[in-house]
């Protein structure tokens, strides 16, 4: 196995510590967010006012906390996507595929 360096691990509280899983579900759910445009030269940046983009929602495979990734950081979106909704999404996915055994490196 390649020597991956996992920079982003799940910070959710689990037991006495953090979950720290580096494995996430991605079912193609998107959360529309404002995406400030950076690094573009020009004098007509007002056209990007209110610009939004769809950011993938990642659901931790170990503790089921949903996140979006902003600037390389996991941002908890469990207020917007609560445990009940996450469980529904996971069980819908499991009707076709069994839950994988999670063994983090
Ligand atoms: Zn987790």
């Amino acid at each position: 196995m390649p020597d991956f360096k996992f920079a982003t691990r799940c910070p959710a509280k689990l037991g006495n510590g953090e979950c720290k899983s580096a494995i996430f579900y991605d079912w193609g759910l998107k959360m529309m967010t404002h995406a400030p445009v950076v690094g573009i030269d020009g004098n007509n940046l007002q056209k990007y006012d209110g610009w939004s983009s769809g950011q993938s929602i990642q659901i931790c495979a170990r503790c089921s906390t949903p996140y979006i990734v902003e600037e390389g950081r996991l941002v908890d979106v469990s207020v917007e996507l609560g445990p009940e909704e996450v469980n529904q999404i996971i069980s819908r996915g499991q009707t076709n595929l069994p839950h994988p055994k999670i063994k983090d490196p």
Side-chain angles (χ1 to χ4, degrees), residues 45-88:
L45 291 179
Q46 289 92 335
K47 70 180 177 182
Y48 292 115
D49 281 353
W51 186 262
S52 64
S53 70
Q55 282 176 283
S56 293
I57 293 176
Q58 314 290 332
I59 297 172
C60 177
R62 181 178 282 166
C63 74
S64 300
T65 304
Y67 296 97
I68 57 173
V69 182
E70 273 189 0
E71 294 171 359
R73 284 187 165 165
L74 292 168
V75 178
D76 188 333
V77 293
S78 56
V79 170
E80 290 79 4
L81 196 67
E84 198 172 312
E85 287 78 16
V86 169
N87 285 337
Q88 284 175 6

